[in-house]
Amino acid sequence: MQIGINATHLRLPKTATEDEVLLEWQLEVNENSSVHGLIVQLPLDSIHKIDTEKVTNAVAPEKDVDGLTSINAGKLSRGDLGDCFIPCTPNGCMELIRQTGKYNKYHHLTVHFLFNSNSDIVISRSCVPKPIDRLAREVGLLSDEVELYGKTKAKVQLHIIKRLQKQPDGKYVVVTGITPTPLGEGKSTTTIGLVQALGAHMKLNVFACVRQPSQGPTFGIKGGAAGGGYSQVIPMEEFNLHLTGDIHAITAANNLVAAAIDARIFHESTQSDKALYNRLVPLSGEQRKFSPIQINRLKKLGIEKTDPSALTDEEITRFARLDIDPSSITWQRVLDTNDRFLRKITIGQSPTEKGYTREAQFDITVASEIMAVLALTSSLEDMRQRLAKMVVATSCSGEPITTEDLGVSGALTVLMKDAIKPNLMQTLEGTPVFVHAGPFANIAHGNSSILADKIALRLVGPEGFVVTEAGFGADIGMEKFFNIKCRYSGLRPHVVVLVATVRALKMHGGGPTVTAGMPLPKEYVEENLELLEKGCSNMRKQIENAQHFGVPVVVAVNAFKTDTEAELDLICDMAKAAGAFDAVRCFHWAEGGAGAVALGQAVQRACEAPSNFKFLYDLDLPIADKIRIIAQKIYGADDIQLLPDAQHKVELYTKQGFGSLPICMAKTHLSLSHEADKKGVPRGFILPIRDIRASVGAGFLYPLVGTMPTIPGLPTRPCFYDIDLDPETDQVNGLF
Amino acid sequence: MQIGINATHLRLPKTATEDEVLLEWQLEVNENSSVHGLIVQLPLDSIHKIDTEKVTNAVAPEKDVDGLTSINAGKLSRGDLGDCFIPCTPNGCMELIRQTGKYNKYHHLTVHFLFNSNSDIVISRSCVPKPIDRLAREVGLLSDEVELYGKTKAKVQLHIIKRLQKQPDGKYVVVTGITPTPLGEGKSTTTIGLVQALGAHMKLNVFACVRQPSQGPTFGIKGGAAGGGYSQVIPMEEFNLHLTGDIHAITAANNLVAAAIDARIFHESTQSDKALYNRLVPLSGEQRKFSPIQINRLKKLGIEKTDPSALTDEEITRFARLDIDPSSITWQRVLDTNDRFLRKITIGQSPTEKGYTREAQFDITVASEIMAVLALTSSLEDMRQRLAKMVVATSCSGEPITTEDLGVSGALTVLMKDAIKPNLMQTLEGTPVFVHAGPFANIAHGNSSILADKIALRLVGPEGFVVTEAGFGADIGMEKFFNIKCRYSGLRPHVVVLVATVRALKMHGGGPTVTAGMPLPKEYVEENLELLEKGCSNMRKQIENAQHFGVPVVVAVNAFKTDTEAELDLICDMAKAAGAFDAVRCFHWAEGGAGAVALGQAVQRACEAPSNFKFLYDLDLPIADKIRIIAQKIYGADDIQLLPDAQHKVELYTKQGFGSLPICMAKTHLSLSHEADKKGVPRGFILPIRDIRASVGAGFLYPLVGTMPTIPGLPTRPCFYDIDLDPETDQVNGLF
């Protein structure tokens, strides 16, 4: 029997023989009272060679539970498990059936035998994911709550919320990081590693909730974003590509709004009030009728009439003319492609548009306000309302023009009716993951969806854990997680996990510039305690930032193979001295969940610690004061400076009634300040606010600190050069 | 028991009592040897009121087959059918379980009890579709060949082709039409009505293969496109919206190519040959390596080297510089939105693009060459090759530049790996439908996918029928179906169904202009045999067009309620006189499949008639000759005239080696000539060819006869004003 075994994974010496591995399993399976059974999948070509007795005898007879499993390598290798087909794999894998938590649910935690490898996609596809309908049953979803999308993805219907409404929530953990290098410090990997540890190793009910990545960068510079190494969401190509079409739905919805804006301006420009009205409210048979969306607009205008013939000429004009000021349009078209040539364009140049040209731009789809709405909504009804009140422009007389005024709000809801359902996937170790929403972390709030977190918290139950990730460093993603996401969700986090790396801290200590695609300077691959100690100032500040919200912090030191013991110790000591509840080293990239068990235990303890959550600012404060509080308390600025455009917007939004929205700062993530090259803890600076925009539907104002790139470009040699499909095996090559 | 019954549907007098209906069923069920059982679903609130005995006793005991069914209204109303959950419905429905064909398959043909209604979406959602996994089993798909996408859609994996390779094909029927009015004459509705007749009423194995509609028009003018009345694909909102994301995948793939073209021109403009080469083939560790896609480009250039350091300076230049002539770019960006302001735009105006602006345009996604590739491909490997040889521009020295030269061909294949799998849905009467690919019918060939047709032909077996639809009138869609689609597929059609309407024929006879959105002039709603007889010239010519290919023609007269007996008779007589195999009236819009049984019987007979299929032209003829043959034989033109751009392209494409591709005419569908207002059978005209373009990957040249609109716009009051989602019931309102 030649099964490739990642012995580290099983906490055995690398030289372990096959018998030693089996022995380890025997102990694990027979002596752990939470293990109720075993399923073995073996390489197809080994069926006749295998010593089936050895496997069969390794497990005690009482471990056969509920008819779900029987220990029969021959039978099981043909994939026979009730009505649930398990394909035989080239690698083989083994599952323990456990009863976990207090909710009488079975979690099947797959432990895969893997060859060591350094390519994420090789690791990802070496595992055969369990059928997603099976995972759905394991986590307690009923079959009519699940919509399958192929064999490895499913959507969860929202009516589950009603069924679980009396179920108490689990523990809520947010993963954030210190100020990162441009390479990223492993927040996603840590999120996945942590749930693998809590679920597959500590036998707790768990869920990871992560963002859906934009497809653009997958083909540009960045590559995939499913975690990495032995802590990944699988299959990584499904995660990184279309998934279940949510981002595509947003592209369609967003661009319908954009088309409606320009078409409306065009039709208003070329028609009389009467002609416009006759077309907007046409005769159908013998009579005219307002659509419900038009009734909403009439109400907004204070016209309490429902008979189209009863409107006065003045009311007809007010109803039919949105009178959009083209220079005030804030709604952009979007594509999920890195297309730099669409950053600034002129539209309407065909003769059919009769000279109504204007400058416009495309953003990447995840920058759409509709993505932020998806992430912040709490129900279909709530989404319908948010999609209706998105402000796209201002009228010539200063009124905000909404998607409801354009008549498009219902169609947007229809386009988004499936996107609102969270997507279920799994980690390499078979624990459940919700992948749902992925708003930009600068001009939006950079957090996955409230709905996924809420459903997951109910599913895991009070002893279980939901781990969610906040984009960028703690000064941005975590601040927005607390002040925006938790404010709308009403959920209260138990623990902050702050990811730190030796590499990033050395950079903050004064190390040379780190550039994506370039080799790391030697300071980063050799021990340098001096740089590291100096750089810990950034970690200290980010710990303090979390403490502003009254939540305990566990520092996760994401270890790289070039890190030394002394370096890792130094960070842990400094973190604890700075007030972290605990600080532990993690090896989940190389070892999977087994490498993050210490982190899992620390998080579990921290959840029992006293916590006193509070927001950083009151919504009722003036806009400028809210911005100032964030700048001073979180970034360490002396003050803010509102430039003229920003000052104008403060007045406009206050007048329009949007002054009490929370603040979503659009600032570089590469420094605590507004200047990306200021590392460590910059001091003595004034934060300039160039402009302010409003995402009224999503529900926040976003001050622009500097210029935010909203659509990336392709480099000379994009990732796509390496990406291909093997038509023989259907395997995707070259994603990483 | 108050079940709404469409008595016409059951061929009973409209006044039939409940007992008469039951009696009809009793006869049907007990005396038909192909009926093996019955499933009854009843309205939930009738369970306790119903006389269950009456239903139970209506069916003989021997009709209980395979444990699949038992006649127990109480039990079944709770949705109990093995592991297959059937929800109880407000309307109730009944299914016969039949064993049909010779392949030992069960077709469950649902017959729905419907209230008469005139809104397509009301009819559509009044039926509860059977779970799609059950339909998949009924048509003979194995569970590992099916990927579910929710409860009503599924994708079929291509490896089924291998399993069915020895299975003989069924009968292949193409539905086309006379030259239509702008309102359309009901080809889609007839396609669905015909398969409902053949399947649900004549008990034959059937499949309809239809195009996926563009989402743009759903929110613009046209509304939905799932057939109509009682001949629809359900659920119509799923059919008309995202479906399983195929069109979205094309948007993503198409725009990745567009972004790659402009980014490449930009990077070539701003870098030396050496710098370009170093970036394209970067050092990875100690060495450089070509990616497989780059090796392909080297081969094309005749450079037989695999070591990057071995290239001469001249070879480096040839390899690294595509030297695209920006004025030659034929590849456009696409969106699936009716956005008229993107018809002509200027891109690259952001300072980051350093002044490299150019004029460009967006097309609607279904106009993308990638959609045509999807429709014409025969396997994953073939699609990979077609996606690689798409020509996007010409180099300054006159060489065609392909997606493979850009390095993007593998990524395109990865983006399209799921889109290539046909989508399974169902008709109102529960018969299977493949919805797959929807290329434009002017600048592309307007036919659904070859793969769906091929798989369906195997699944139905030799006694079964596959009905596929060709876009526009017979002069366009059918001509391209034969000369392009059948040429690539190798499939040979048995019968052409030519849809004709009284309305369109009167228009051809000289009736007033028919305009979408305007009431019909009285000529069209009152009997007028003179106009009609005159207009039959168009039908006669289109019958002749089908006969050029040696295939028998059955004329389907799609009856409207304003048509008179004399009018319908006249068309049938004229059609038979013109050489049609048969001509029959159809009432499938009002009656479902029952209204098209006469058509089904005629089609079945025509399939037994001698047929002698031949192409219209040889591929080896010069480009101009191929165009001339189509213009003269199909359109009735005296000759063609190649305008200067077209003449230039004839020379360019012949030189580049694309001269032997088939021809895909981009001509108005509203006339046999190039002028939309010339109705009937125009004579004595010269067809002007303005320009010619090449879709080399899809595999055709498309001569432009006039200007083709490639992205529609939104009217003053788009459809979206009426579209909304009811958050209580999740129902989509306002689609039609």
Side-chain angles (χ1 to χ4, degrees):
Chain A
M1 182 168 87
Q2 292 295 322
I3 305 176
I5 289 173
N6 178 355
T8 318
H9 201 85
L10 297 174
R11 293 249 167 264
L12 289 174
K14 287 206 189 253
T15 53
T17 65
E18 180 196 320
D19 280 347
E20 282 168 342
V21 174
L22 272 175
L23 181 66
E24 173 75 5
W25 275 106
Q26 191 170 12
L27 290 172
E28 167 82 23
V29 167
N30 293 334
E31 296 182 9
N32 185 325
S33 65
S34 82
V35 174
H36 287 242
L38 183 71
I39 298 167
V40 185
Q41 291 177 259
L42 295 165
L44 203 58
D45 61 6
S46 73
I47 293 176
H48 302 295
K49 289 180 246 161
I50 198 170
D51 185 350
T52 48
E53 289 291 305
K54 204 181 263 177
V55 178
T56 314
N57 294 339
V59 182
E62 70 271 21
K63 295 295 176 183
D64 190 351
V65 63
D66 285 354
L68 263 178
T69 176
S70 67
I71 312 305
N72 180 329
K75 183 179 167 215
L76 285 165
S77 66
R78 282 184 287 101
D80 192 339
L81 176 73
D83 60 346
C84 183
F85 183 77
I86 307 174
C88 220
T89 79
N91 300 72
C93 79
M94 192 180 285
E95 292 183 38
L96 302 185
I97 299 171
R98 304 171 190 276
Q99 190 171 18
T100 51
K102 292 190 176 162
Y103 289 91
N104 194 26
K105 286 182 301 190
Y106 291 102
H107 270 221
H108 298 248
L109 305 171
T110 308
V111 183
H112 297 265
F113 298 98
L114 296 173
F115 291 96
N116 278 314
S117 165
N118 53 8
S119 156
D120 288 353
I121 193 153
V122 170
I123 295 173
S124 171
R125 74 188 184 205
S126 69
C127 289
V128 178
K130 67 179 103 177
I132 200 69
D133 54 341
R134 190 150 137 242
L135 178 66
R137 270 180 279 144
E138 290 169 15
V139 302
L141 292 162
L142 306 181
S143 68
D144 75 334
E145 292 164 350
V146 178
E147 292 176 354
L148 303 180
Y149 277 66
K151 317 279 191 204
T152 57
K153 299 169 291 185
K155 278 191 168 289
V156 176
Q157 298 199 10
L158 298 191
H159 58 75
I160 189 178
I161 295 172
K162 201 164 170 201
R163 176 171 67 87
L164 298 180
Q165 61 188 345
K166 294 200 178 139
Q167 172 91 330
D169 281 345
K171 311 294 185 196
Y172 196 27
V173 179
V174 61
V175 175
T176 183
I178 60 167
T179 303
T181 70
L183 309 178
E185 307 315 310
K187 283 198 310 294
S188 303
T189 309
T190 304
T191 302
I192 303 304
L194 174 56
V195 296
Q196 291 181 166
L198 290 163
H201 300 266
M202 295 165 63
K203 337 294 187 210
L204 296 159
N205 287 350
V206 287
F207 245 102
C209 292
V210 301
R211 289 167 294 165
Q212 181 185 1
S214 167
Q215 204 169 253
T218 306
F219 298 103
I221 291 186
K222 186 165 168 278
Y230 285 87
S231 294
Q232 289 190 56
V233 182
I234 58 168
M236 74 98 83
E237 63 269 34
E238 300 299 323
F239 179 85
N240 280 298
L241 298 175
H242 312 290
L243 196 66
T244 57
D246 297 350
I247 290 181
H248 295 323
I250 292 169
T251 303
N254 183 96
N255 292 339
L256 183 60
V257 176
I261 294 169
D262 283 303
R264 183 61 176 252
I265 294 175
F266 176 76
H267 291 302
E268 288 192 21
S269 308
T270 53
Q271 292 176 52
S272 70
D273 292 3
K274 196 130 218 161
L276 257 184
Y277 187 67
N278 287 344
R279 287 204 172 84
L280 285 169
V281 194
L283 268 180
S284 172
E286 296 293 291
Q287 63 170 26
R288 294 181 194 285
K289 221 179 127 186
F290 290 119
S291 73
I293 286 172
Q294 290 177 324
I295 300 269
N296 292 350
R297 174 159 167 80
L298 287 169
K299 280 192 192 140
K300 176 178 160 181
L301 296 172
I303 304 171
E304 296 288 335
K305 298 179 179 175
T306 54
D307 174 7
S309 66
L311 266 62
T312 65
D313 283 355
E314 189 252 340
E315 287 170 340
I316 285 178
T317 302
R318 288 177 59 215
F319 171 78
R321 288 214 176 270
L322 301 186
D323 202 21
I324 292 171
D325 172 3
S327 73
S328 75
I329 297 172
T330 49
W331 193 268
Q332 312 299 351
R333 290 167 174 82
V334 299
L335 277 183
D336 195 24
T337 306
N338 284 14
D339 192 346
R340 52 189 298 160
F341 275 72
L342 298 179
R343 284 171 181 161
K344 190 168 167 194
I345 63 176
T346 299
I347 60 170
Q349 295 179 316
S350 162
T352 52
E353 277 58 69
K354 302 182 183 168
Y356 289 94
T357 63
R358 70 174 182 93
E359 275 189 359
Q361 73 184 58
F362 272 79
D363 292 340
I364 195 138
T365 300
V366 293
S368 169
E369 181 174 348
I370 297 178
M371 176 60 97
V373 166
L374 177 67
L376 288 171
T377 192
S378 56
S379 69
L380 202 53
E381 174 62 32
D382 174 75
M383 183 173 75
R384 171 75 182 76
Q385 288 172 14
R386 287 175 186 266
L387 291 174
K389 64 186 183 190
M390 297 189 297
V391 173
V392 301
T394 302
S395 74
C396 292
S397 60
E399 295 299 314
I401 301 297
T402 65
T403 38
E404 185 94 336
D405 292 325
L406 287 165
V408 77
S409 44
L412 299 184
T413 312
V414 169
L415 281 167
M416 294 292 294
K417 75 182 175 62
D418 295 312
I420 197 175
K421 304 168 194 161
N423 304 294
L424 179 67
M425 290 188 73
Q426 64 192 286
T427 67
L428 266 178
E429 298 185 24
T431 60
V433 180
F434 275 142
V435 185
H436 199 218
F440 241 36
N442 49 33
I443 68 167
H445 66 296
N447 279 267
S448 60
S449 83
I450 286 177
L451 277 167
D453 288 3
K454 281 198 167 175
I455 294 172
L457 283 164
R458 293 287 157 89
L459 284 170
V460 298
E463 306 301 316
F465 285 78
V466 171
V467 182
T468 194
E469 183 198 347
F472 288 176
D475 52 320
I476 303 185
M478 181 195 71
E479 183 269 314
K480 296 175 181 181
F481 172 78
F482 288 135
N483 280 321
I484 301 175
K485 185 175 175 182
C486 290
R487 208 182 296 253
Y488 282 118
S489 71
L491 297 171
R492 296 295 169 257
H494 293 79
V495 177
V496 170
V497 171
L498 185 78
V499 178
T501 61
V502 169
R503 177 175 72 191
L505 291 173
K506 283 178 176 173
M507 177 189 73
H508 289 297
T513 305
V514 175
T515 310
M518 304 286 286
L520 276 177
K522 73 169 172 27
E523 285 81 352
Y524 296 103
V525 292
E526 294 172 3
E527 182 171 287
N528 191 326
L529 296 171
E530 195 186 345
L531 273 185
L532 183 62
E533 182 167 355
K534 222 170 132 204
C536 280
S537 61
N538 183 276
M539 175 176 70
R540 203 177 303 120
K541 173 64 182 141
Q542 299 283 32
I543 292 170
E544 179 195 312
N545 284 344
Q547 289 169 333
H548 282 309
F549 297 88
V551 182
V553 180
V554 173
V555 171
V557 185
N558 185 17
F560 294 8
K561 64 180 176 196
T562 49
D563 299 343
T564 67
E565 291 286 322
E567 287 176 330
L568 298 172
D569 282 345
L570 177 62
I571 301 181
C572 292
D573 293 346
M574 301 279 289
K576 282 182 248 180
F581 176 87
D582 203 350
V584 291
R585 316 160 175 203
C586 310
F587 305 91
H588 44 271
W589 188 89
E591 299 180 14
V597 169
L599 176 62
Q601 289 164 341
V603 165
Q604 196 176 22
R605 285 195 311 274
C607 281
E608 307 301 327
S611 132
N612 175 30
F613 179 74
K614 55 185 179 292
F615 296 117
L616 194 70
Y617 54 81
D618 279 345
L619 292 182
D620 296 337
L621 290 174
I623 295 171
D625 289 2
K626 289 187 276 195
I627 300 173
R628 187 175 296 108
I629 289 172
I630 297 170
Q632 291 177 335
K633 290 212 180 160
I634 303 291
Y635 307 160
D638 284 351
D639 201 352
I640 61 169
Q641 183 194 11
L642 292 181
L643 298 178
D645 283 349
Q647 186 59 48
H648 166 70
K649 292 293 179 57
V650 164
E651 289 152 22
L652 178 72
Y653 293 142
T654 305
K655 188 180 128 211
Q656 290 182 336
F658 307 138
S660 60
L661 290 172
I663 301 297
C664 181
M665 299 296 287
K667 180 184 78 72
T668 179
H669 62 298
L670 297 171
S671 168
L672 281 160
S673 78
H674 57 287
E675 292 172 291
D677 57 349
K678 298 274 164 64
K679 303 301 180 187
V681 184
R683 289 289 176 200
F685 62 94
I686 306 285
L687 193 79
I689 310 296
R690 186 169 63 78
D691 197 356
I692 305 179
R693 302 262 163 79
S695 284
V696 177
F700 52 74
L701 301 176
Y702 56 102
L704 298 172
V705 185
T707 315
M708 293 298 128
T710 48
I711 187 162
L714 291 174
T716 304
R717 187 189 191 284
C719 299
F720 61 60
Y721 269 94
D722 299 310
I723 298 173
D724 211 335
L725 192 79
D726 183 335
E728 290 288 304
T729 59
D730 287 13
Q731 268 185 350
V732 175
N733 294 323
L735 275 179
F736 64 93
Chain B
M1 180 168 88
Q2 291 295 322
I3 304 178
I5 288 173
N6 177 354
T8 319
H9 200 87
L10 297 174
R11 293 248 166 264
L12 289 174
K14 287 206 189 251
T15 53
T17 64
E18 181 196 320
D19 280 346
E20 283 168 340
V21 173
L22 272 174
L23 180 68
E24 172 75 5
W25 275 106
Q26 190 169 14
L27 289 172
E28 167 82 23
V29 167
N30 294 334
E31 296 183 9
N32 185 323
S33 66
S34 82
V35 174
H36 287 242
L38 183 70
I39 298 167
V40 185
Q41 291 178 257
L42 296 165
L44 203 58
D45 60 6
S46 73
I47 293 176
H48 300 295
K49 290 180 246 162
I50 198 169
D51 184 350
T52 47
E53 288 291 304
K54 203 182 263 177
V55 178
T56 314
N57 293 340
V59 182
E62 68 270 22
K63 295 294 176 183
D64 190 350
V65 63
D66 287 353
L68 264 177
T69 176
S70 68
I71 311 304
N72 181 329
K75 182 179 164 214
L76 284 164
S77 65
R78 283 185 285 100
D80 192 338
L81 177 72
D83 60 345
C84 185
F85 183 78
I86 307 173
C88 220
T89 81
N91 299 73
C93 80
M94 192 181 284
E95 292 185 36
L96 302 184
I97 298 172
R98 303 171 191 278
Q99 187 170 20
T100 52
K102 293 188 174 164
Y103 290 92
N104 196 28
K105 283 182 301 191
Y106 291 102
H107 271 223
H108 298 248
L109 305 171
T110 308
V111 183
H112 297 264
F113 298 99
L114 295 173
F115 290 97
N116 279 314
S117 164
N118 54 8
S119 157
D120 289 353
I121 194 155
V122 170
I123 296 173
S124 172
R125 72 187 184 206
S126 69
C127 290
V128 178
K130 66 180 105 177
I132 199 69
D133 54 341
R134 189 150 137 241
L135 179 66
R137 269 180 280 144
E138 289 169 16
V139 302
L141 292 164
L142 307 180
S143 67
D144 75 332
E145 291 164 350
V146 178
E147 291 176 353
L148 304 181
Y149 277 66
K151 317 277 191 204
T152 58
K153 300 169 289 185
K155 278 192 168 286
V156 176
Q157 298 200 11
L158 298 190
H159 59 74
I160 188 179
I161 295 172
K162 200 164 170 200
R163 175 170 69 87
L164 298 180
Q165 62 188 345
K166 294 200 175 138
Q167 173 92 330
D169 281 345
K171 312 293 185 197
Y172 196 28
V173 180
V174 62
V175 174
T176 183
I178 60 168
T179 303
T181 69
L183 309 179
E185 306 315 308
K187 285 197 309 295
S188 302
T189 309
T190 304
T191 302
I192 302 304
L194 175 56
V195 296
Q196 290 182 165
L198 290 164
H201 300 266
M202 294 166 63
K203 337 293 188 210
L204 295 159
N205 286 351
V206 288
F207 245 102
C209 292
V210 301
R211 289 168 293 165
Q212 180 186 1
S214 168
Q215 204 169 253
T218 306
F219 297 104
I221 292 186
K222 187 166 170 278
Y230 285 87
S231 294
Q232 288 190 55
V233 182
I234 58 167
M236 74 98 82
E237 62 270 35
E238 299 299 324
F239 179 85
N240 280 299
L241 297 176
H242 310 291
L243 196 67
T244 57
D246 297 350
I247 290 181
H248 295 323
I250 293 169
T251 304
N254 182 97
N255 293 340
L256 183 60
V257 176
I261 294 169
D262 283 303
R264 184 59 176 253
I265 294 175
F266 177 75
H267 290 302
E268 288 192 21
S269 308
T270 52
Q271 292 176 51
S272 70
D273 293 3
K274 196 126 218 166
L276 257 183
Y277 187 67
N278 287 345
R279 286 204 172 83
L280 285 168
V281 194
L283 269 181
S284 172
E286 294 293 291
Q287 62 170 26
R288 295 181 192 285
K289 222 178 126 184
F290 290 119
S291 75
I293 286 172
Q294 290 177 324
I295 300 268
N296 292 349
R297 173 158 168 80
L298 287 170
K299 279 190 191 142
K300 177 179 161 181
L301 296 172
I303 303 171
E304 296 287 336
K305 297 178 179 174
T306 53
D307 173 7
S309 65
L311 266 62
T312 65
D313 283 355
E314 190 252 340
E315 287 170 340
I316 284 177
T317 302
R318 288 176 59 215
F319 171 79
R321 288 214 174 270
L322 302 185
D323 202 21
I324 292 171
D325 173 3
S327 72
S328 75
I329 297 172
T330 50
W331 195 268
Q332 312 299 351
R333 289 167 175 81
V334 299
L335 278 183
D336 195 22
T337 306
N338 283 15
D339 192 346
R340 51 190 299 159
F341 275 73
L342 298 179
R343 284 171 180 161
K344 191 167 166 193
I345 62 175
T346 299
I347 61 171
Q349 296 178 315
S350 161
T352 52
E353 279 57 69
K354 301 182 183 171
Y356 289 94
T357 64
R358 70 175 183 93
E359 275 190 357
Q361 73 184 57
F362 272 79
D363 292 341
I364 195 138
T365 300
V366 293
S368 169
E369 181 174 349
I370 297 178
M371 177 59 97
V373 167
L374 177 67
L376 289 171
T377 193
S378 55
S379 69
L380 202 53
E381 174 62 33
D382 174 75
M383 184 173 75
R384 171 73 182 78
Q385 288 172 16
R386 288 174 186 266
L387 292 175
K389 64 187 182 189
M390 297 189 299
V391 173
V392 300
T394 303
S395 74
C396 291
S397 60
E399 296 297 315
I401 301 297
T402 65
T403 37
E404 185 92 337
D405 292 325
L406 286 166
V408 76
S409 44
L412 298 184
T413 312
V414 169
L415 282 167
M416 294 292 293
K417 75 182 175 59
D418 295 312
I420 196 175
K421 303 168 194 162
N423 304 294
L424 179 67
M425 291 187 73
Q426 64 192 285
T427 68
L428 265 178
E429 298 187 24
T431 61
V433 180
F434 275 142
V435 185
H436 200 217
F440 240 37
N442 50 33
I443 68 166
H445 66 295
N447 280 267
S448 61
S449 84
I450 286 177
L451 277 168
D453 288 3
K454 281 198 166 174
I455 294 171
L457 283 165
R458 293 288 156 88
L459 284 171
V460 299
E463 306 300 318
F465 285 78
V466 172
V467 182
T468 192
E469 182 197 349
F472 288 175
D475 53 319
I476 303 185
M478 181 195 72
E479 183 270 312
K480 295 175 182 181
F481 172 78
F482 288 136
N483 280 322
I484 300 175
K485 185 174 174 182
C486 289
R487 206 180 300 252
Y488 281 117
S489 71
L491 297 171
R492 296 296 168 257
H494 293 79
V495 178
V496 170
V497 171
L498 185 78
V499 178
T501 60
V502 169
R503 176 175 73 191
L505 291 173
K506 283 177 176 172
M507 176 189 72
H508 288 298
T513 305
V514 175
T515 311
M518 303 286 285
L520 276 176
K522 72 168 171 34
E523 285 81 352
Y524 296 104
V525 292
E526 295 172 4
E527 181 171 287
N528 190 326
L529 295 170
E530 195 186 347
L531 272 186
L532 183 62
E533 180 167 357
K534 219 169 134 207
C536 279
S537 61
N538 183 276
M539 174 176 70
R540 204 180 300 120
K541 173 63 182 145
Q542 299 283 31
I543 292 171
E544 179 194 311
N545 284 344
Q547 290 169 333
H548 281 309
F549 296 88
V551 181
V553 180
V554 173
V555 172
V557 185
N558 185 17
F560 294 7
K561 64 180 176 193
T562 52
D563 299 342
T564 68
E565 291 286 322
E567 286 177 331
L568 298 172
D569 283 345
L570 178 62
I571 301 181
C572 291
D573 293 346
M574 301 281 289
K576 283 183 245 180
F581 176 89
D582 203 351
V584 291
R585 314 159 176 205
C586 311
F587 305 91
H588 44 271
W589 189 89
E591 300 180 14
V597 168
L599 176 62
Q601 288 164 341
V603 165
Q604 195 176 24
R605 286 194 312 273
C607 281
E608 307 302 327
S611 134
N612 175 29
F613 179 75
K614 53 185 181 294
F615 296 117
L616 193 71
Y617 54 81
D618 279 344
L619 292 182
D620 296 337
L621 290 174
I623 295 171
D625 290 1
K626 289 185 278 196
I627 299 174
R628 187 175 296 109
I629 290 172
I630 297 170
Q632 292 177 335
K633 291 212 179 160
I634 303 293
Y635 306 160
D638 284 351
D639 202 353
I640 60 168
Q641 182 194 11
L642 293 180
L643 299 178
D645 283 349
Q647 186 59 48
H648 166 71
K649 291 295 179 56
V650 164
E651 289 152 22
L652 178 71
Y653 292 143
T654 306
K655 188 180 128 212
Q656 289 181 337
F658 307 138
S660 61
L661 290 173
I663 301 297
C664 180
M665 299 296 288
K667 181 184 78 70
T668 177
H669 63 297
L670 297 171
S671 169
L672 281 160
S673 78
H674 57 287
E675 292 171 292
D677 56 348
K678 298 275 165 63
K679 304 299 182 188
V681 184
R683 290 289 177 202
F685 62 94
I686 307 286
L687 193 79
I689 310 296
R690 186 170 62 80
D691 197 355
I692 305 179
R693 302 264 163 78
S695 284
V696 178
F700 53 73
L701 300 176
Y702 57 101
L704 298 172
V705 186
T707 315
M708 293 299 129
T710 48
I711 187 163
L714 291 175
T716 304
R717 187 190 193 283
C719 299
F720 60 61
Y721 269 95
D722 299 310
I723 299 173
D724 211 335
L725 192 78
D726 182 336
E728 290 288 304
T729 61
D730 286 14
Q731 268 186 349
V732 175
N733 294 323
L735 273 178
F736 65 91

